Amino acid sequence: MAFYGGAKRVCVSIRHYCSNSASEKVNLIKQLRERTSAAMKDVKAALVDSNWDIEEAQKELRKRGKVLASKKSSRTASQGLLALAQSPTKLALIELNCETDFVARNDIFQHLALRLANQALSLSLDSSSSSSSSFHLGPQSLQDMPFNLDHPKFNGQTTVHNAITELAAMMGENVRLRRGYVIPASPNGFISTYLHTSPQPGLGRIAGILSLQVDDGQTQLQALQRVGSELAMHVVAAKPLFLTKELVPSDALENEREILKSQAEASGKPKMAIEKMVEGRLRKYFEDVVFMDQKFIMNDTMNVKAVLDNLSKEVGSSVRVVDFLRMEVGEGIARQETDTSETVAQVA
């Protein structure tokens, strides 16, 4: 009886030990998932291979992830977010891409996008960029810069390139910094912004940026900011291509004129009538693509030029648009992929 009783006590003790061990493993899996956001099966495999050492398992996940991220770098990444950072003297706007909208909604992805915008803002402008026009910022301008994401799940000193690679590994998708712009504020001027489909301040899928200049720097700031924000929203909605008619390239204008002339001649009307039709349709073309000639989206009884004229009267000083920028997540990527596929097919 004593033997059987002893055996029973041993079995109970073993079951108790096994139960605790299983509980600890579940807890380690939970902790590692919270740290890395990696898939359950990947977390468990890393812990098993690391003999349930959570620090070693985290290192292993990062190593595996970098290999996978490298393999996924050729996949199309047309989703993502634009991130904006601004100081009194300039503005930075970057596009961070991923493969799905699901990843774009991820907290770490959004945090990285905002930190990259601030990193771009920290770049010094060279003397050739001292004017108030925007200049393009290639990914190579940032990728080797020291960087700390400073996020609970993603911390430590690294570089921009490595941070993006590790995020790609964590998310299981191709993630890339595609492009950016830095826009200096003009003297006696300021920059107005609008972000469309914005999940949080500083992020969006479409951006409208407007650089304004005022002759009198001490004029009514509230009115300028109000109209500036409305015009930035107009840039997003109306999609202007040129600031003024004078900036429309002559070849683009001649091409449009030829198309309109061909369309008018098909009507069979006299030459004089055809010329009038072409000029009338050219005016409509300018209204479609030239910012200053476009109908204002908030009040289509006036164009943008009239809005600026009214603002100048309101603040008692001349207000001018120096430059504008419209940027949308993924624009042009689908076309680039199509062109690449067609080229490969032709070579084959």
Side-chain angles (χ1 to χ4, degrees), residues 34-35 107 111 150-155:
E34 287 174 352
R35 285 192 191 184
D107 169 62
H111 188 82
D150 195 23
H151 187 278
K153 294 183 182 178
F154 198 125
N155 214 328

Side-chain angles (χ1 to χ4, degrees), residues 5 31 53 82 89 111 124 126 129 162-163 180 200 294 317 322:
Q31 286 181 47
D53 183 326
L82 306 177
T89 58
H111 188 82
S124 300
D126 58 38
S129 304
N162 287 342
Q200 61 171 292
Q294 287 180 327
S317 181
V322 178

Side-chain angles (χ1 to χ4, degrees), residues 14 74 79 117-118 138 169 180 196 216 239:
I14 290 171
S74 61
Q79 295 296 316
N118 277 285
H196 188 63
D216 182 2
K239 303 179 182 179

